[in-house]
Amino acid sequence: MSMPKGSNVPVPTTALRVELGWRSGPGVPDADASALLLVGGKVRSDGDFVFYNQPVHSSGAVRHEGKRDAGGRVTDSLLVDLARVEPAIETVILAASSDSGSFGQVPDLCIEVKDGAQGAVVARFDSTGATVETAFVLGEFYRRQGAWKFRAVGQGYGSGLEGLATDYGITVDEPQQTAPAPAPLTPPATNPMTPPPPVAPPAPMQPPAMPPVPPSAPQAPVSLSKVTLTKAAPSVSLTKQGGTSGALRVNLNWQVRKQFSGWASKLGRPVAMHNDLDLDLCALYELTDGRKGVIQSLGNAYGALNQPPYIHLDGDDRTGAMASGENLTVNLDHQRDFRRILIFVTIYEGARSFADLHATVTLTPQHGAPVDFSLDECTVPSTVCALALLTNTGSDLVVQREARYLVPERGVSPQRTVDHAYAWGMNWTPGRK
């Protein structure tokens, strides 16, 4: 049952999943969830803002988990562990924003608070009556006498995420504008017959002034820019975004909707989903000198950043519950050595298919806007999914959203399957962790 606007309800002091949801469709803008941790109605610093470009709070109490689309119903999730919220924090604001349209175009907008362990809904607020607003505070957690409550707020902003963030004390990065050049100084006209003005006597000597105390370095403002790849707009140029040097971090984060063995109705066969689900983020690479290879935890092929192949897998997350998920780093300082890189993910154990699994892929260059996209719902018995293809055209570095589920033939490994689908041409031998 939906809460009335302004009402409140007690919530357990535990890990809660907050889901911002809406119904997608033609002409419906995308929306993003965010959270602000407040003391006295303001953030302490820009680090108290959790959103798509800053997905984890330093305390670990709040993290942005990303989107999933299930049958036309889109949710963007935040995990809020109230037991880990610092004692100074009085309020956790839960907000939504859209940079591609107003919330008057977003049907069935709501916020649900669920118990993180059981999945039971402990609070829900349906936001109605939106018109031109481009940001909303949908709800908030707040402390009262040592306990936490959730309040349904429903306050809209016409100034988007930037206006909402600055209202709570966030410093937002703005596009720099070139200042007009100062007018050149024109020396005054002089008459050659006129004697020069008398030179003033030198000023009396003064003791040297104390050097000014340099101000402390200001905190870098928060950047709200991002690129979201979709089926309609599946590629982006990193070159045009300025992301052609430094480290490119590729992150895979996932959620399992069902934590038990059950039936995947679209597949018509049993699909096991367990807490020990182990996904592996991998990459096929081809260098300009013709060398090819794979980066994966299988066989400890973690790669290297400062020598070929200039790609490194950071670790092996076997739960998906880690705030960092699985990460792979590409050294773009050596982009001229790359011909193409295919990022893909395999199921190592714990499931027979990607059904009921919802993942978000984020590519964050050291320079330029981050690129993200969500995987579509899996409707085939797939154990390997091609995520993104990076291609060096010689003059451009392009990221292409693949989000392509592949079904291995009997006796064929997921790695060999993705190799064949993209004509990589490698020889494979069995391996294990």
Side-chain angles (χ1 to χ4, degrees):
M1 182 176 179
S2 180
M3 300 171 58
K5 181 176 178 178
S7 62
N8 62 75
V9 62
V11 293
T13 305
T14 183
L16 301 172
R17 183 177 300 280
V18 179
E19 295 185 350
L20 162 70
W22 68 95
R23 180 162 45 86
S24 64
V28 176
D30 191 30
D32 295 291
S34 58
L36 299 105
L37 290 78
L38 309 182
V39 177
K42 296 287 184 179
V43 297
R44 298 167 299 181
S45 72
D46 293 346
D48 286 337
F49 185 27
V50 177
F51 69 120
Y52 48 79
N53 274 1
Q54 197 165 268
V56 184
H57 190 259
S58 59
S59 67
V62 183
R63 67 182 173 102
H64 179 252
E65 292 203 320
K67 295 186 178 70
R68 61 181 174 88
D69 188 338
R73 182 71 185 175
V74 183
T75 58
D76 195 10
S77 300
L78 298 161
L79 186 64
V80 182
D81 190 346
L82 294 176
R84 298 178 64 179
V85 175
E86 298 157 288
I89 300 296
E90 302 161 347
T91 309
V92 179
I93 294 291
L94 306 167
S97 62
S98 172
D99 58 3
S100 57
S102 69
F103 278 102
Q105 303 167 274
V106 179
D108 300 341
L109 178 66
C110 76
I111 185 171
E112 280 191 341
V113 179
K114 297 181 178 180
D115 184 288
Q118 304 298 326
V121 177
V122 297
R124 177 187 172 101
F125 172 57
D126 292 275
S127 181
T128 59
T131 55
V132 299
E133 297 88 353
T134 50
F136 260 99
V137 174
L138 292 173
E140 64 181 15
F141 294 119
Y142 65 99
R143 296 184 193 262
R144 279 295 182 273
Q145 298 178 346
W148 285 95
K149 291 187 174 183
F150 171 80
R151 176 184 289 117
V153 179
Q155 176 185 350
Y157 289 74
S159 50
L161 183 59
E162 179 178 352
L164 184 149
T166 54
D167 197 36
Y168 288 102
I170 297 294
T171 305
V172 175
D173 187 16
E174 297 181 357
Q176 294 184 353
Q177 298 181 354
T178 303
L185 295 176
T186 304
T190 59
N191 186 332
M193 300 300 294
T194 305
V199 178
M205 295 293 292
Q206 298 288 339
M210 294 294 291
V213 178
S216 58
Q219 183 175 0
V222 171
S223 173
L224 303 182
S225 61
K226 71 166 184 171
V227 177
T228 298
L229 301 182
T230 63
K231 288 181 179 179
S235 64
V236 64
S237 165
L238 288 184
T239 304
K240 294 179 180 178
Q241 295 287 328
T244 55
S245 63
L248 171 68
R249 179 173 177 265
V250 182
N251 173 261
L252 173 71
N253 219 300
W254 66 88
Q255 308 166 31
V256 179
R257 185 167 56 191
K258 296 180 180 178
Q259 299 288 343
F260 55 87
S261 298
W263 286 84
S265 59
K266 293 189 178 181
L267 300 181
R269 64 184 70 183
V271 176
M273 282 290 179
H274 304 292
N275 289 329
D276 59 355
L277 175 67
D278 184 7
L279 299 186
D280 285 340
L281 186 63
C282 313
L284 288 173
Y285 63 84
E286 181 180 0
L287 303 182
T288 53
D289 62 8
R291 283 181 289 179
K292 301 175 183 179
V294 64
I295 303 297
Q296 59 180 1
S297 58
L298 195 66
N300 296 321
Y302 288 99
L305 272 185
N306 297 314
Q307 63 186 37
Y310 308 111
I311 307 169
H312 182 255
L313 181 64
D314 295 355
D316 184 19
D317 179 6
R318 300 197 174 198
T319 67
M322 293 170 57
S324 59
E326 289 223 351
N327 300 285
L328 184 145
T329 306
V330 179
N331 188 347
L332 293 183
D333 289 338
H334 293 271
Q335 64 157 311
R336 292 183 180 179
D337 294 296
F338 298 122
R339 182 169 292 159
R340 56 177 179 159
I341 302 171
L342 180 68
I343 312 297
F344 66 100
V345 59
T346 67
I347 298 176
Y348 183 72
E349 62 182 12
R352 299 176 186 173
S353 168
F354 283 107
D356 289 319
L357 183 76
H358 306 285
T360 301
V361 181
T362 306
L363 295 86
T364 307
Q366 189 170 333
H367 309 287
V371 178
D372 69 4
F373 60 89
S374 298
L375 296 186
D376 300 320
E377 185 176 3
C378 179
T379 59
V380 294
S382 170
T383 55
V384 57
C385 180
L387 301 176
L389 181 65
L390 282 71
T391 305
N392 187 353
T393 68
S395 60
D396 202 355
L397 188 61
V398 178
V399 176
Q400 172 81 23
R401 175 189 188 269
E402 295 294 310
R404 179 183 175 188
Y405 293 107
L406 303 171
V407 182
E409 297 180 2
R410 181 180 294 273
V412 178
S413 69
Q415 290 84 352
R416 189 187 297 269
T417 299
V418 74
D419 178 313
H420 178 73
Y422 287 86
W424 225 266
M426 291 174 54
N427 294 320
W428 295 91
T429 57
R432 60 176 59 194
K433 294 185 181 182

